Amino acid sequence: GKVTRYITALNALAMAKRSDPQIAREYEQMENEAATNRLADMRSAYSRHPQIFAFFQRQNLTVDDAVVLPLAVVMAGFATTMPGGQMADTVSPAQLDFVRANGPLMERFQQATSALEGSP
């Protein structure tokens, strides 16, 4: 359920980013600030940009959901492509099983991510 709600939030944010210059500026500013891999920095970016976080909040997602969920999905997706369990120490078997069992959902996740990255 959370992945579906996250996708809904991404799609709404991408649409708003295309149609509202203020949202586009805010999103780009947040992206430039969050150019780190530290979870604490990524979390705090949402607190500094509540207008962006609101898209996730409307889907009943927390800041942790907005930060950790895409990382977990991307890492598990990447791990499914690695031979011989090379990334077994970075993802759980449950994450791998989820990605493998939800191909269409993972495709929607990728499409939503691409829509957001590709929107002006």
Side-chain angles (χ1 to χ4, degrees), residues 14-47:
M15 193 178 321
K17 191 177 155 199
R18 282 190 300 273
S19 64
D20 184 338
Q22 172 60 31
I23 295 287
R25 280 191 301 275
E26 183 93 12
Y27 179 78
E28 292 306 319
Q29 186 179 27
M30 187 179 98
E31 284 292 294
N32 291 333
E33 289 174 11
T36 178
N37 290 332
R38 291 185 40 208
L39 290 177
D41 293 340
M42 294 164 73
R43 287 181 83 245
S44 68
Y46 282 113
S47 67

Side-chain angles (χ1 to χ4, degrees), residues 5 9 46 62 68 73 75 79 82-83 86 91 102 106 110 113:
R5 294 193 319 267
Y46 282 113
T62 66
V68 176
V73 169
M75 291 298 294
M82 301 299 290
Q86 291 178 358
V91 296
N102 290 285
M106 296 300 99
Q110 180 58 45
T113 301

